[in-house]
Amino acid sequence: MRVARSRRLVLSLAAVLVAVTAACVTSHPLTVDTRTTRSSLTLPRDIRVRTGGHVVSVPLEDYVLAAALSEVSPVNEAPATTARVFEVQAIIARTYVIAHLRRHADEGFDACDTTHCQLYQPGRISTSRFADAARAAVDATRGVVLLYGNRAADALFHADCGGHTASASDVWGGPSVPYLTGEADAVPDDTHRSWQSRLSADRLRDALATRTRALLGPRLKNVRVSERDGSGRAEAIDLEGDHVVTVRGDSFRAAITREFGTQALQSTQFAVTRDGGTFVFSGRGYGHGVGLCQVGAAARARRGESVDEILSAYFPGAAVARALAR
């Protein structure tokens, strides 16, 4: 199932490695339920990846290994937690690329190596201290994907939901996706990060005028969250200049990120105040908030939840299944 307005998807969360812990493990018990249902879904043998300006054909499981290593870095975790974190991310990486195989079809490849798809940095296979743990997790979950209605689910993920995941339809509009709903994250509250940034009113006005075509005039007088979604994220933002212009929360964050960098507005779960010529944004979380919350998943793994339980928490109604290889 395709999320509406995917052109606006900003997977900035993938640019941040989840601080979940580290210990190399060479073997560990399979935490994916060995009774996992078999699916009629057929997995490709290879994935065509555009990386370093070239298109290369990579065996699917090697792609999954590099993507998992690129997306998480479980620092200072116990071996069992590290294993489970990588098993979860391996299933997510495999499912995500299968669900999006046609995304770059017109360009002659299946996946790019940036956060537009998911990070793919194959050098990590030889340099990361977590390579052995990740490889063991990929082997343990070989062929395992997340399904909804016997199709690969849109296995979206982000770094930190800030305590509450978001509905895909709330973030990007369009019809609701049954397994991408917003829920309170049932982990300790201190699992999730808080942040604050201060942005010049003049620079903010220039960024918004360029990126959102908001014709505000010479001054940006006020920024006000006028609507919030069910997770508390800013869904609509009023920009007051010569006129009041309303923009979507995801468009506002995208404009700020392009101008000031990913740290400036880490999520749309924020409050905003004015301090003289500066707007102060105080928020929680990192990323769009839809699907798997990586720091939440790590906390669940740490307290002993299985891979199946973790995936069920973030993709309710989706099922873990072992697909067929070509």
Short mmCIF file of all heavy atoms in Angstrom, two decimals, residues 130-195:
data_model
loop_
_atom_site.label_atom_id
_atom_site.label_comp_id
_atom_site.label_asym_id
_atom_site.label_seq_id
_atom_site.Cartn_x
_atom_site.Cartn_y
_atom_site.Cartn_z
N PHE A 130 29.87 -3.52 14.35
CA PHE A 130 28.64 -4.30 14.50
C PHE A 130 28.40 -5.25 13.33
O PHE A 130 27.34 -5.87 13.24
CB PHE A 130 27.44 -3.36 14.63
CG PHE A 130 27.55 -2.40 15.77
CD1 PHE A 130 27.69 -1.03 15.53
CD2 PHE A 130 27.54 -2.84 17.08
CE1 PHE A 130 27.81 -0.14 16.58
CE2 PHE A 130 27.65 -1.96 18.14
CZ PHE A 130 27.79 -0.60 17.89
N ALA A 131 29.37 -5.37 12.43
CA ALA A 131 29.16 -6.16 11.21
C ALA A 131 28.81 -7.62 11.52
O ALA A 131 27.92 -8.19 10.88
CB ALA A 131 30.38 -6.08 10.31
N ASP A 132 29.50 -8.24 12.47
CA ASP A 132 29.22 -9.64 12.79
C ASP A 132 27.81 -9.80 13.35
O ASP A 132 27.09 -10.73 12.99
CB ASP A 132 30.24 -10.18 13.79
CG ASP A 132 31.62 -10.39 13.17
OD1 ASP A 132 31.71 -10.42 11.92
OD2 ASP A 132 32.59 -10.52 13.94
N ALA A 133 27.42 -8.89 14.25
CA ALA A 133 26.08 -8.96 14.84
C ALA A 133 25.02 -8.75 13.77
O ALA A 133 24.00 -9.46 13.74
CB ALA A 133 25.93 -7.92 15.93
N ALA A 134 25.24 -7.80 12.89
CA ALA A 134 24.27 -7.53 11.83
C ALA A 134 24.17 -8.69 10.86
O ALA A 134 23.07 -9.07 10.43
CB ALA A 134 24.65 -6.25 11.09
N ARG A 135 25.31 -9.27 10.50
CA ARG A 135 25.28 -10.41 9.58
C ARG A 135 24.53 -11.60 10.19
O ARG A 135 23.74 -12.27 9.50
CB ARG A 135 26.70 -10.83 9.21
CG ARG A 135 26.75 -11.87 8.09
CD ARG A 135 28.19 -12.25 7.76
NE ARG A 135 28.98 -11.13 7.29
CZ ARG A 135 28.95 -10.69 6.03
NH1 ARG A 135 28.15 -11.27 5.14
NH2 ARG A 135 29.70 -9.67 5.68
N ALA A 136 24.75 -11.84 11.47
CA ALA A 136 24.03 -12.92 12.13
C ALA A 136 22.53 -12.66 12.13
O ALA A 136 21.72 -13.57 11.94
CB ALA A 136 24.54 -13.09 13.57
N ALA A 137 22.14 -11.39 12.32
CA ALA A 137 20.72 -11.03 12.32
C ALA A 137 20.11 -11.19 10.93
O ALA A 137 18.97 -11.67 10.79
CB ALA A 137 20.56 -9.58 12.79
N VAL A 138 20.83 -10.80 9.90
CA VAL A 138 20.34 -10.97 8.53
C VAL A 138 20.18 -12.45 8.21
O VAL A 138 19.17 -12.88 7.62
CB VAL A 138 21.29 -10.28 7.53
CG1 VAL A 138 20.91 -10.64 6.09
CG2 VAL A 138 21.25 -8.78 7.72
N ASP A 139 21.15 -13.27 8.61
CA ASP A 139 21.04 -14.72 8.37
C ASP A 139 19.85 -15.30 9.13
O ASP A 139 19.12 -16.16 8.62
CB ASP A 139 22.32 -15.42 8.81
CG ASP A 139 23.50 -15.13 7.88
OD1 ASP A 139 23.25 -14.66 6.74
OD2 ASP A 139 24.66 -15.37 8.29
N ALA A 140 19.65 -14.85 10.37
CA ALA A 140 18.55 -15.38 11.20
C ALA A 140 17.18 -15.02 10.64
O ALA A 140 16.21 -15.76 10.82
CB ALA A 140 18.68 -14.87 12.63
N THR A 141 17.10 -13.89 9.95
CA THR A 141 15.81 -13.43 9.42
C THR A 141 15.73 -13.59 7.90
O THR A 141 14.85 -13.00 7.27
CB THR A 141 15.59 -11.94 9.77
OG1 THR A 141 16.59 -11.14 9.10
CG2 THR A 141 15.67 -11.71 11.27
N ARG A 142 16.61 -14.33 7.32
CA ARG A 142 16.67 -14.44 5.85
C ARG A 142 15.29 -14.71 5.25
O ARG A 142 14.60 -15.65 5.63
CB ARG A 142 17.64 -15.55 5.45
CG ARG A 142 17.85 -15.69 3.94
CD ARG A 142 18.98 -16.68 3.65
NE ARG A 142 20.25 -16.18 4.15
CZ ARG A 142 21.07 -15.39 3.47
NH1 ARG A 142 20.74 -15.01 2.24
NH2 ARG A 142 22.20 -14.98 4.00
N GLY A 143 14.88 -13.85 4.33
CA GLY A 143 13.60 -14.02 3.65
C GLY A 143 12.40 -13.55 4.44
O GLY A 143 11.27 -13.60 3.93
N VAL A 144 12.59 -13.09 5.67
CA VAL A 144 11.46 -12.68 6.51
C VAL A 144 11.08 -11.23 6.18
O VAL A 144 11.94 -10.34 6.13
CB VAL A 144 11.78 -12.81 8.00
CG1 VAL A 144 10.63 -12.28 8.86
CG2 VAL A 144 12.07 -14.28 8.34
N VAL A 145 9.79 -11.02 5.95
CA VAL A 145 9.27 -9.69 5.61
C VAL A 145 8.02 -9.41 6.43
O VAL A 145 7.44 -10.31 7.05
CB VAL A 145 8.95 -9.56 4.11
CG1 VAL A 145 10.22 -9.60 3.27
CG2 VAL A 145 7.98 -10.65 3.67
N LEU A 146 7.60 -8.17 6.40
CA LEU A 146 6.38 -7.74 7.07
C LEU A 146 5.31 -7.59 5.99
O LEU A 146 5.51 -6.87 5.00
CB LEU A 146 6.63 -6.41 7.77
CG LEU A 146 5.63 -5.93 8.81
CD1 LEU A 146 5.57 -6.89 9.99
CD2 LEU A 146 6.02 -4.53 9.29
N LEU A 147 4.19 -8.27 6.17
CA LEU A 147 3.14 -8.29 5.16
C LEU A 147 1.86 -7.65 5.68
O LEU A 147 1.55 -7.71 6.86
CB LEU A 147 2.82 -9.72 4.73
CG LEU A 147 3.93 -10.55 4.09
CD1 LEU A 147 3.38 -11.92 3.73
CD2 LEU A 147 4.49 -9.86 2.86
N TYR A 148 1.12 -7.09 4.73
CA TYR A 148 -0.26 -6.69 5.01
C TYR A 148 -1.08 -7.10 3.79
O TYR A 148 -0.82 -6.64 2.68
CB TYR A 148 -0.38 -5.19 5.26
CG TYR A 148 -1.75 -4.79 5.73
CD1 TYR A 148 -2.11 -4.96 7.06
CD2 TYR A 148 -2.69 -4.31 4.84
CE1 TYR A 148 -3.38 -4.63 7.51
CE2 TYR A 148 -3.97 -3.97 5.27
CZ TYR A 148 -4.31 -4.13 6.61
OH TYR A 148 -5.57 -3.81 7.04
N GLY A 149 -2.03 -8.00 4.00
CA GLY A 149 -2.81 -8.51 2.88
C GLY A 149 -1.96 -9.24 1.86
O GLY A 149 -2.20 -9.13 0.66
N ASN A 150 -0.96 -9.98 2.31
CA ASN A 150 -0.05 -10.75 1.47
C ASN A 150 0.80 -9.88 0.53
O ASN A 150 1.33 -10.36 -0.46
CB ASN A 150 -0.79 -11.81 0.64
CG ASN A 150 0.11 -13.01 0.35
OD1 ASN A 150 0.92 -13.40 1.18
ND2 ASN A 150 -0.02 -13.57 -0.85
N ARG A 151 0.91 -8.60 0.85
CA ARG A 151 1.81 -7.71 0.11
C ARG A 151 2.80 -7.12 1.10
O ARG A 151 2.51 -6.97 2.29
CB ARG A 151 1.03 -6.58 -0.57
CG ARG A 151 0.05 -7.07 -1.62
CD ARG A 151 -0.71 -5.92 -2.23
NE ARG A 151 0.18 -4.97 -2.90
CZ ARG A 151 -0.25 -3.83 -3.44
NH1 ARG A 151 -1.53 -3.48 -3.37
NH2 ARG A 151 0.61 -3.03 -4.05
N ALA A 152 3.97 -6.79 0.61
CA ALA A 152 4.97 -6.17 1.48
C ALA A 152 4.41 -4.86 2.03
O ALA A 152 3.92 -4.01 1.29
CB ALA A 152 6.25 -5.91 0.70
N ALA A 153 4.47 -4.72 3.34
CA ALA A 153 3.98 -3.49 3.98
C ALA A 153 4.94 -2.35 3.68
O ALA A 153 6.12 -2.55 3.37
CB ALA A 153 3.87 -3.70 5.49
N ASP A 154 4.43 -1.13 3.75
CA ASP A 154 5.28 0.04 3.62
C ASP A 154 5.95 0.25 4.97
O ASP A 154 5.43 0.95 5.84
CB ASP A 154 4.44 1.26 3.22
CG ASP A 154 5.29 2.40 2.70
OD1 ASP A 154 6.52 2.28 2.73
OD2 ASP A 154 4.72 3.41 2.27
N ALA A 155 7.10 -0.38 5.14
CA ALA A 155 7.75 -0.46 6.44
C ALA A 155 8.53 0.82 6.75
O ALA A 155 9.76 0.83 6.83
CB ALA A 155 8.67 -1.67 6.50
N LEU A 156 7.80 1.90 6.96
CA LEU A 156 8.42 3.18 7.28
C LEU A 156 9.04 3.14 8.67
O LEU A 156 8.56 2.43 9.56
CB LEU A 156 7.38 4.29 7.20
CG LEU A 156 6.74 4.50 5.83
CD1 LEU A 156 5.65 5.56 5.92
CD2 LEU A 156 7.77 4.88 4.79
N PHE A 157 10.09 3.92 8.86
CA PHE A 157 10.74 3.97 10.17
C PHE A 157 11.36 5.34 10.36
O PHE A 157 11.52 6.12 9.43
CB PHE A 157 11.79 2.86 10.30
CG PHE A 157 12.90 2.92 9.27
CD1 PHE A 157 14.11 3.50 9.58
CD2 PHE A 157 12.73 2.38 8.00
CE1 PHE A 157 15.14 3.55 8.65
CE2 PHE A 157 13.74 2.42 7.06
CZ PHE A 157 14.96 3.00 7.38
N HIS A 158 11.68 5.64 11.60
CA HIS A 158 12.24 6.94 11.95
C HIS A 158 13.05 6.77 13.22
O HIS A 158 12.95 5.74 13.90
CB HIS A 158 11.13 7.97 12.16
CG HIS A 158 10.14 7.55 13.20
ND1 HIS A 158 9.11 6.66 12.93
CD2 HIS A 158 10.04 7.86 14.51
CE1 HIS A 158 8.42 6.46 14.03
NE2 HIS A 158 8.96 7.17 15.00
N ALA A 159 13.84 7.76 13.56
CA ALA A 159 14.75 7.62 14.69
C ALA A 159 14.04 7.63 16.04
O ALA A 159 14.28 6.79 16.89
CB ALA A 159 15.81 8.74 14.66
N ASP A 160 13.13 8.59 16.24
CA ASP A 160 12.55 8.78 17.58
C ASP A 160 11.17 9.41 17.43
O ASP A 160 11.04 10.52 16.89
CB ASP A 160 13.48 9.70 18.39
CG ASP A 160 13.06 9.85 19.84
OD1 ASP A 160 11.92 9.50 20.18
OD2 ASP A 160 13.88 10.35 20.64
N CYS A 161 10.16 8.72 17.93
CA CYS A 161 8.78 9.23 17.80
C CYS A 161 8.44 10.26 18.87
O CYS A 161 7.34 10.82 18.85
CB CYS A 161 7.79 8.07 17.87
SG CYS A 161 7.72 7.25 19.47
N GLY A 162 9.33 10.50 19.82
CA GLY A 162 9.07 11.49 20.86
C GLY A 162 8.02 11.06 21.86
O GLY A 162 7.49 11.89 22.61
N GLY A 163 7.70 9.77 21.90
CA GLY A 163 6.72 9.26 22.85
C GLY A 163 5.38 8.89 22.23
O GLY A 163 4.54 8.29 22.90
N HIS A 164 5.18 9.22 20.96
CA HIS A 164 3.90 8.91 20.30
C HIS A 164 4.14 8.83 18.79
O HIS A 164 4.62 9.79 18.19
CB HIS A 164 2.87 10.00 20.60
CG HIS A 164 1.45 9.56 20.44
ND1 HIS A 164 0.92 9.18 19.21
CD2 HIS A 164 0.44 9.44 21.34
CE1 HIS A 164 -0.36 8.85 19.37
NE2 HIS A 164 -0.67 9.00 20.66
N THR A 165 3.84 7.69 18.18
CA THR A 165 3.97 7.60 16.74
C THR A 165 2.83 8.36 16.07
O THR A 165 1.84 8.72 16.70
CB THR A 165 3.97 6.14 16.27
OG1 THR A 165 2.77 5.49 16.71
CG2 THR A 165 5.18 5.38 16.80
N ALA A 166 2.99 8.60 14.76
CA ALA A 166 2.02 9.40 14.01
C ALA A 166 1.34 8.56 12.94
O ALA A 166 1.91 7.60 12.42
CB ALA A 166 2.71 10.60 13.37
N SER A 167 0.13 8.94 12.61
CA SER A 167 -0.60 8.32 11.50
C SER A 167 -0.05 8.84 10.18
O SER A 167 0.19 10.04 10.03
CB SER A 167 -2.08 8.66 11.63
OG SER A 167 -2.75 8.46 10.41
N ALA A 168 0.13 7.95 9.21
CA ALA A 168 0.62 8.36 7.90
C ALA A 168 -0.30 9.39 7.26
O ALA A 168 0.16 10.36 6.65
CB ALA A 168 0.78 7.15 6.99
N SER A 169 -1.59 9.21 7.41
CA SER A 169 -2.53 10.14 6.79
C SER A 169 -2.48 11.51 7.46
O SER A 169 -2.69 12.54 6.81
CB SER A 169 -3.95 9.58 6.84
OG SER A 169 -4.36 9.32 8.17
N ASP A 170 -2.19 11.55 8.76
CA ASP A 170 -2.05 12.83 9.43
C ASP A 170 -0.81 13.58 8.94
O ASP A 170 -0.83 14.80 8.78
CB ASP A 170 -1.95 12.65 10.95
CG ASP A 170 -3.29 12.36 11.61
OD1 ASP A 170 -4.33 12.62 10.96
OD2 ASP A 170 -3.30 11.87 12.75
N VAL A 171 0.27 12.85 8.72
CA VAL A 171 1.53 13.49 8.35
C VAL A 171 1.53 13.93 6.89
O VAL A 171 1.94 15.05 6.57
CB VAL A 171 2.72 12.55 8.63
CG1 VAL A 171 4.03 13.15 8.10
CG2 VAL A 171 2.85 12.28 10.12
N TRP A 172 1.06 13.05 5.99
CA TRP A 172 1.17 13.34 4.56
C TRP A 172 -0.17 13.51 3.86
O TRP A 172 -0.22 13.76 2.66
CB TRP A 172 1.98 12.25 3.86
CG TRP A 172 3.37 12.17 4.39
CD1 TRP A 172 4.32 13.15 4.35
CD2 TRP A 172 3.98 11.06 5.07
NE1 TRP A 172 5.48 12.73 4.96
CE2 TRP A 172 5.30 11.45 5.40
CE3 TRP A 172 3.55 9.78 5.41
CZ2 TRP A 172 6.18 10.61 6.07
CZ3 TRP A 172 4.43 8.93 6.08
CH2 TRP A 172 5.72 9.35 6.41
N GLY A 173 -1.27 13.35 4.58
CA GLY A 173 -2.57 13.45 3.95
C GLY A 173 -2.94 12.14 3.24
O GLY A 173 -2.24 11.14 3.34
N GLY A 174 -4.05 12.17 2.52
CA GLY A 174 -4.47 10.98 1.80
C GLY A 174 -5.21 10.01 2.70
O GLY A 174 -5.43 10.27 3.89
N PRO A 175 -5.59 8.86 2.15
CA PRO A 175 -6.35 7.88 2.93
C PRO A 175 -5.50 7.27 4.03
O PRO A 175 -4.27 7.24 3.95
CB PRO A 175 -6.75 6.83 1.88
CG PRO A 175 -5.72 6.96 0.82
CD PRO A 175 -5.36 8.42 0.76
N SER A 176 -6.17 6.79 5.07
CA SER A 176 -5.45 6.17 6.18
C SER A 176 -4.87 4.83 5.76
O SER A 176 -5.40 4.15 4.88
CB SER A 176 -6.38 5.99 7.39
OG SER A 176 -7.43 5.11 7.06
N VAL A 177 -3.78 4.46 6.37
CA VAL A 177 -3.14 3.16 6.15
C VAL A 177 -3.33 2.37 7.44
O VAL A 177 -2.85 2.79 8.50
CB VAL A 177 -1.64 3.34 5.84
CG1 VAL A 177 -0.99 1.98 5.55
CG2 VAL A 177 -1.45 4.27 4.64
N PRO A 178 -4.03 1.23 7.40
CA PRO A 178 -4.44 0.55 8.63
C PRO A 178 -3.31 0.22 9.60
O PRO A 178 -3.52 0.25 10.82
CB PRO A 178 -5.11 -0.73 8.10
CG PRO A 178 -5.58 -0.38 6.73
CD PRO A 178 -4.55 0.56 6.19
N TYR A 179 -2.12 -0.07 9.09
CA TYR A 179 -1.02 -0.47 9.98
C TYR A 179 -0.06 0.68 10.27
O TYR A 179 0.95 0.48 10.95
CB TYR A 179 -0.26 -1.67 9.38
CG TYR A 179 0.27 -1.41 7.98
CD1 TYR A 179 1.50 -0.82 7.78
CD2 TYR A 179 -0.48 -1.76 6.86
CE1 TYR A 179 1.99 -0.57 6.51
CE2 TYR A 179 -0.01 -1.53 5.59
CZ TYR A 179 1.22 -0.93 5.42
OH TYR A 179 1.69 -0.68 4.15
N LEU A 180 -0.35 1.87 9.76
CA LEU A 180 0.48 3.04 10.04
C LEU A 180 -0.35 4.08 10.78
O LEU A 180 -0.70 5.13 10.27
CB LEU A 180 1.04 3.63 8.73
CG LEU A 180 2.03 2.75 7.98
CD1 LEU A 180 2.44 3.40 6.66
CD2 LEU A 180 3.27 2.43 8.82
N THR A 181 -0.69 3.73 12.01
CA THR A 181 -1.53 4.57 12.85
C THR A 181 -0.70 5.16 13.99
O THR A 181 0.39 4.67 14.29
CB THR A 181 -2.69 3.76 13.43
OG1 THR A 181 -2.16 2.64 14.14
CG2 THR A 181 -3.60 3.25 12.32
N GLY A 182 -1.19 6.19 14.60
CA GLY A 182 -0.48 6.82 15.71
C GLY A 182 -0.86 6.20 17.04
O GLY A 182 -2.04 6.06 17.35
N GLU A 183 0.14 5.84 17.83
CA GLU A 183 -0.09 5.25 19.15
C GLU A 183 0.95 5.77 20.13
O GLU A 183 2.09 6.07 19.75
CB GLU A 183 0.03 3.72 19.08
CG GLU A 183 -0.93 3.02 18.13
CD GLU A 183 -2.36 3.01 18.64
OE1 GLU A 183 -2.54 3.26 19.85
OE2 GLU A 183 -3.28 2.75 17.84
N ALA A 184 0.57 5.86 21.40
CA ALA A 184 1.54 6.18 22.44
C ALA A 184 2.58 5.06 22.50
O ALA A 184 2.23 3.88 22.40
CB ALA A 184 0.84 6.33 23.79
N ASP A 185 3.84 5.42 22.62
CA ASP A 185 4.91 4.44 22.66
C ASP A 185 5.08 3.95 24.09
O ASP A 185 5.49 4.70 24.98
CB ASP A 185 6.20 5.07 22.15
CG ASP A 185 7.25 4.03 21.76
OD1 ASP A 185 6.87 2.86 21.55
OD2 ASP A 185 8.43 4.39 21.64
N ALA A 186 4.75 2.68 24.32
CA ALA A 186 4.72 2.12 25.67
C ALA A 186 6.12 1.74 26.15
O ALA A 186 6.43 0.57 26.41
CB ALA A 186 3.78 0.92 25.72
N VAL A 187 6.97 2.73 26.27
CA VAL A 187 8.32 2.56 26.81
C VAL A 187 8.56 3.70 27.79
O VAL A 187 7.81 4.68 27.80
CB VAL A 187 9.39 2.57 25.69
CG1 VAL A 187 9.18 1.40 24.72
CG2 VAL A 187 9.38 3.89 24.94
N PRO A 188 9.59 3.62 28.64
CA PRO A 188 9.85 4.71 29.59
C PRO A 188 9.97 6.06 28.88
O PRO A 188 10.57 6.17 27.80
CB PRO A 188 11.18 4.29 30.23
CG PRO A 188 11.16 2.80 30.16
CD PRO A 188 10.50 2.48 28.84
N ASP A 189 9.42 7.09 29.50
CA ASP A 189 9.36 8.41 28.87
C ASP A 189 10.74 8.96 28.55
O ASP A 189 10.92 9.65 27.54
CB ASP A 189 8.61 9.38 29.79
CG ASP A 189 8.31 10.70 29.10
OD1 ASP A 189 7.59 10.67 28.09
OD2 ASP A 189 8.80 11.74 29.57
N ASP A 190 11.74 8.64 29.38
CA ASP A 190 13.08 9.18 29.14
C ASP A 190 13.79 8.49 27.99
O ASP A 190 14.95 8.82 27.67
CB ASP A 190 13.92 9.15 30.42
CG ASP A 190 14.14 7.74 30.96
OD1 ASP A 190 13.69 6.77 30.32
OD2 ASP A 190 14.75 7.62 32.05
N THR A 191 13.14 7.52 27.36
CA THR A 191 13.69 6.91 26.16
C THR A 191 13.82 7.94 25.04
O THR A 191 14.74 7.88 24.22
CB THR A 191 12.77 5.76 25.67
OG1 THR A 191 12.71 4.74 26.69
CG2 THR A 191 13.26 5.15 24.37
N HIS A 192 12.91 8.88 25.02
CA HIS A 192 12.79 9.80 23.89
C HIS A 192 13.48 11.13 24.16
O HIS A 192 13.45 11.64 25.27
CB HIS A 192 11.31 10.01 23.56
CG HIS A 192 10.61 8.73 23.25
ND1 HIS A 192 10.77 8.07 22.07
CD2 HIS A 192 9.76 7.97 24.00
CE1 HIS A 192 10.04 6.96 22.08
NE2 HIS A 192 9.44 6.87 23.24
N ARG A 193 14.06 11.69 23.10
CA ARG A 193 14.85 12.91 23.24
C ARG A 193 13.99 14.17 23.20
O ARG A 193 12.96 14.22 22.55
CB ARG A 193 15.91 12.99 22.14
CG ARG A 193 15.34 13.35 20.77
CD ARG A 193 16.44 13.50 19.73
NE ARG A 193 16.97 12.21 19.34
CZ ARG A 193 18.00 12.04 18.53
NH1 ARG A 193 18.63 13.09 18.06
NH2 ARG A 193 18.42 10.84 18.20
N SER A 194 14.48 15.19 23.89
CA SER A 194 13.92 16.54 23.77
C SER A 194 14.98 17.41 23.10
O SER A 194 16.17 17.13 23.18
CB SER A 194 13.57 17.11 25.15
OG SER A 194 12.57 16.34 25.78
N TRP A 195 14.55 18.46 22.46
CA TRP A 195 15.50 19.34 21.77
C TRP A 195 14.95 20.77 21.74
O TRP A 195 13.77 21.01 21.96
CB TRP A 195 15.76 18.86 20.34
CG TRP A 195 14.51 18.61 19.53
CD1 TRP A 195 13.84 17.42 19.39
CD2 TRP A 195 13.75 19.56 18.78
NE1 TRP A 195 12.73 17.57 18.59
CE2 TRP A 195 12.66 18.88 18.20
CE3 TRP A 195 13.91 20.93 18.53
CZ2 TRP A 195 11.71 19.52 17.40
CZ3 TRP A 195 12.97 21.58 17.73
CH2 TRP A 195 11.90 20.86 17.16
#
